[in-house]
Amino acid sequence: ISLVCGRRCGSILNMPSLSIVSNVSRSVVPPDFIEEATKVFQKAIGKPLEYVCVSLVPDALLAFGGELDARAALCRVDSIGKLGVEENKEISRAVFQLLKDKLQIESTRAYIIFNDRQPSEVGFKGTTFDELRKKK
């Protein structure tokens, strides 16, 4: 598992994360994949890089369309805000292009699930963002 979080991985308005689970072998994941994915995701979601978290779980037992051998991915985007009809289209475009360019996963072999979170649904610093917001 690879994980990159910015210096302050969280803020009341800025906590986006991109999680990718794939059956692609870790041995073929480019060494700069997480760094590149972080930049691509940050640009697409429009939040400061210092708050962006990206993870990749390679070598997953993952079937897509009943096929185990063809490369595939299941992605999840979580964010407090900055998600919606138009925003999700931009993030999809960017993430699917990243998957194709870096992991050779076609857009027909992956899903992206979007989760627009409430501040009370995300924990940070031993509490939730809802509580942190009240303290400001």
Side-chain angles (χ1 to χ4, degrees), residues 11 14 25 28 41 46 55 58 63-64 72 75 78 84 86 92-94 103 106-107 116 120 124 127 129:
S11 163
N14 300 296
S25 171
V28 299
F41 180 54
S55 65
F64 194 103
C75 307
D78 289 277
E86 295 306 315
S92 291
R93 185 202 59 73
L103 300 178
E106 296 296 326
S107 62
D116 194 356
S120 62
F124 184 64
T127 187
F129 283 109

Side-chain angles (χ1 to χ4, degrees), residues 37-81:
T38 299
K39 290 176 185 173
V40 166
F41 180 54
Q42 181 276 323
K43 183 177 180 186
I45 200 161
K47 291 191 175 189
L49 183 61
E50 63 193 285
Y51 302 119
V52 173
C53 293
V54 173
S55 65
L56 170 66
V57 178
D59 296 315
L61 296 176
L62 178 67
F64 194 103
E67 294 180 42
L68 290 166
D69 296 333
R71 292 180 182 210
L74 180 59
C75 307
R76 179 180 171 140
V77 172
D78 289 277
S79 183
I80 298 173

Side-chain angles (χ1 to χ4, degrees), residues 91-105:
I91 294 165
S92 291
R93 185 202 59 73
V95 171
F96 281 120
Q97 191 64 53
L98 174 80
L99 293 175
K100 183 175 182 173
D101 292 348
K102 295 291 185 175
L103 300 178
Q104 291 74 53
I105 297 172

